Amino acid sequence: MSVVSKTTGRIAFVGAGPGDAGLLTVRAQHLLSCAELLVTDPDVPADVYARAATDAEVRPAVGEPTEVAKELIAEAKNGQVVVRLVSGDPLTADAVVAETHAVARSAVPFEVVPGVPAATAVPAFAGVPLGSRHTEADVRAGVDWAALAAVPGPLVLHATASHLAETAAALIEHGVAPQTPVAITAAGTMPTQHTVETTLASLSGELGELAGPLVVTVGEVVGQRTKLSWWESRALYGWKVLVPRTKEQAGAMSERLAVHGAVPVEVPTISVEPPRSPAQMERAVKGLVDGRYQWVVFTSTNAVRAVWDKFAEFGLDARAFAGVKIACVGEATAERVRSMGIVPELVPSGEQSSEGLLADFPPFDDVLDPVDRVLLPRADIATETLAAGLRDRGWEIDDVTAYRTVRAAPPPAETREMIKTGGFDAVCFTSSSTVRNLVGIAGKPHARTIVACIGPATAETAVEFGLRVDVQPEVAHVGFLVDALAAHAAQLRAAGALPPPRKAKTRRR
């Protein structure tokens, strides 16, 4: 009987880039998604290796280069797909170069995936255009100051705060003008990035908290940062924004907040669960197939998902909606319906709410409408406003519990303390349930926290709980809510009612 040995895996040295996970190359993201083992540098941000498969093992790189390489080779020979995740660019770190040499001497196949260089990425995020002629140097390792001072074009220097005084003195001593503009950037490309502008003569002065590795850009091009600074000048830059939503829904809002520069902190307040008894939903789906309904009114994306899941359970698809008209309370719900290949007949033309939908909803006409019944799948705690309004318009309503909303567990003590003491700059509420449940599990947000509500019903609930509503978009949609918050912050800052975006602490490496 022959024995089949396990096939050898492979090793990939992957550059994580300067910090922002969005700067990973396509190849790097692919390798992270299929890696079984990640061996990481300690300063690789968690957001980067969070791109790995959920069942991937993550280990720190411990020991001398030969020891790390020995571990990589052993795991690969055991059939593993191993990613050696490196902060920055793999072959620009001497220790990682030594690891690759050791791996190359083995029979294990390997590859190297470069990371975006910090020397160009960080000035770009700081709004400094380097142009085609710039010189990079690491002053932490010692440099030829005379040669460095003589090169044309801007300088991009890697340093720490302890090297700034020496750098300034050496460059001035070798002929660089003392008034040459300088930009010092800490935590480059990260949500906590902070850039200080000064001159070479003032480089050794007090420049605030600049911990960790710094990228120092020296040259006249720094003067263009006033017009080109795009990362740190965003309306919500540095703001911590509380996102109290269901776990499944938080992603879209967090992504939109990050576009405006905020640091979203997701706190699940609601868990969406199936109804206790499936009988109502099963009868509703059968009614759809049998032509019982003229309209289906969706009040939320959760309702759409609940009906769609029930379709899948019975082997149905979008064809089950044939001959049925679809109405959606808001644009986000309508988008969810469109994603199923169905175009809703009715979305409120005005206020994106139950009242807005009722204002546009046609009354029952016994001549034009062959069926007088409306299916209303919704949450177990939904208000009666919509059902009552539809009945007033002559429709018969099948009011069905499509899902239950259950209060989530309280967030960690640190988060609760931040909520109560004003540690969050803003909070975005997307339903009355998120207001009630957040207050229930964590307490009321502090008076200094800006409160943004997606629509009038949510705002009314917030007021009932003693909150001041600062922002409410014209359209009840997550994107419009976040954009309205950003516009509000920009207006306050322009009027001098807010300080500049808070300087977030930089991380030490």
Side-chain angles (χ1 to χ4, degrees):
M1 178 178 176
S2 62
V3 178
V4 179
S5 60
K6 197 168 187 178
T7 58
T8 301
R10 63 185 189 277
I11 299 168
F13 293 87
V14 174
D20 181 1
L23 298 180
L24 287 168
T25 64
V26 174
R27 181 61 180 164
Q29 295 198 57
H30 170 71
L31 288 168
L32 285 173
S33 70
C34 61
E36 297 163 284
L37 171 65
L38 269 68
V39 179
T40 75
D41 281 348
D43 51 352
V44 173
D47 285 350
V48 173
Y49 54 79
R51 305 292 179 98
T54 54
D55 58 348
E57 181 185 356
V58 180
R59 298 181 196 167
V62 178
E64 296 297 317
T66 53
E67 296 173 312
V68 175
K70 184 177 180 180
E71 177 186 6
L72 301 177
I73 294 166
E75 295 292 357
K77 285 185 175 179
N78 197 35
Q80 297 259 57
V81 176
V82 183
V83 165
R84 172 67 174 96
L85 192 57
V86 180
S87 177
D89 195 8
L91 296 189
T92 62
D94 292 341
V96 181
V97 171
E99 292 174 24
T100 58
H101 277 298
V103 169
R105 289 192 291 270
S106 74
V108 176
F110 73 96
E111 66 177 290
V112 179
V113 180
V116 173
T120 52
V122 174
F125 271 59
V128 179
L130 296 177
S132 59
R133 300 177 68 187
H134 65 274
T135 301
E136 177 185 2
D138 191 338
V139 302
R140 298 168 295 186
V143 295
D144 183 338
W145 291 110
L148 193 62
V151 299
L155 301 175
V156 181
L157 309 176
H158 300 277
T160 65
S162 63
H163 296 90
L164 297 181
E166 176 193 2
T167 298
L171 289 176
I172 291 172
E173 179 185 349
H174 289 90
V176 180
Q179 296 308 309
T180 302
V182 178
I184 309 102
T185 303
T189 78
M190 299 297 289
T192 54
Q193 175 178 302
H194 175 47
T195 301
V196 175
E197 289 185 56
T198 184
T199 63
L200 205 55
S202 303
L203 191 56
S204 58
E206 178 57 47
L207 297 173
E209 184 180 0
L210 291 171
L214 308 175
V215 174
V216 181
T217 310
V218 182
E220 296 300 327
V221 293
V222 172
Q224 299 180 45
R225 183 173 181 270
T226 304
K227 296 180 179 179
L228 299 181
S229 176
W230 61 277
W231 184 251
E232 296 172 52
S233 63
R234 292 171 295 168
L236 299 177
Y237 186 75
W239 280 33
K240 288 185 178 178
V241 179
L242 185 63
V243 181
R245 305 199 73 191
T246 65
K247 185 176 181 181
E248 296 80 8
Q249 293 175 326
M253 178 177 283
S254 294
E255 290 175 9
R256 189 72 177 180
L257 285 165
V259 167
H260 287 289
V263 179
V265 178
E266 298 177 2
V267 175
T269 58
I270 300 171
S271 176
V272 176
E273 298 182 3
R276 288 187 173 88
S277 171
Q280 270 194 328
M281 279 292 286
E282 289 174 358
R283 285 196 299 269
V285 170
K286 184 177 185 301
L288 277 171
V289 175
D290 292 343
R292 175 180 172 84
Y293 302 109
Q294 178 80 354
W295 285 88
V296 176
V297 177
F298 288 116
T299 59
S300 69
T301 57
N302 286 325
V304 179
R305 185 182 299 111
V307 171
W308 198 248
D309 288 347
K310 189 59 69 173
F311 276 15
E313 186 179 321
F314 286 105
L316 301 173
D317 56 27
R319 288 172 292 184
F321 285 114
V324 181
K325 295 180 180 179
I326 307 294
C328 299
V329 163
E331 188 56 41
T333 305
E335 286 179 9
R336 179 73 178 179
V337 170
R338 293 185 190 106
S339 72
M340 304 186 328
I342 302 168
V343 178
E345 276 78 12
L346 180 59
V347 180
S349 58
E351 184 180 284
Q352 304 285 288
S353 65
S354 295
E355 291 80 1
L357 183 68
L358 287 171
D360 292 343
F361 206 92
F364 171 67
D365 187 317
D366 57 5
V367 175
L368 299 177
D369 296 314
V371 180
D372 68 349
R373 194 165 293 273
V374 174
L375 174 61
L376 182 57
R378 57 180 187 158
D380 57 333
I381 60 172
T383 63
E384 297 296 323
T385 302
L386 185 54
L390 292 171
R391 290 190 184 98
D392 289 344
R393 283 157 178 75
W395 295 97
E396 293 293 326
I397 308 301
D398 278 3
D399 196 351
V400 175
T401 298
Y403 61 96
R404 293 184 300 126
T405 55
V406 181
R407 182 179 292 181
E414 180 183 1
T415 303
R416 297 199 302 271
E417 185 67 16
M418 287 180 63
I419 292 171
K420 295 176 183 177
T421 60
F424 288 103
D425 297 283
V427 57
C428 292
F429 291 116
T430 56
S431 68
S432 293
S433 299
T434 58
V435 179
R436 286 190 293 266
N437 289 352
L438 180 72
V439 174
I441 65 176
K444 285 171 53 176
H446 192 278
R448 75 166 62 98
T449 301
I450 292 174
V451 176
C453 293
I454 199 166
T458 305
E460 183 179 342
T461 304
V463 171
E464 289 174 0
F465 277 87
L467 300 177
R468 179 197 68 250
V469 177
D470 303 289
V471 177
Q472 183 181 317
E474 294 183 3
V475 178
H477 183 279
V478 165
F480 286 97
L481 174 64
V482 175
D483 291 351
L485 175 62
H488 180 74
Q491 290 171 0
L492 289 177
R493 190 170 291 114
L498 282 180
R502 63 177 60 178
K503 298 173 183 177
K505 293 181 180 180
T506 55
R507 59 193 176 99
R508 294 185 180 273
R509 294 191 178 185

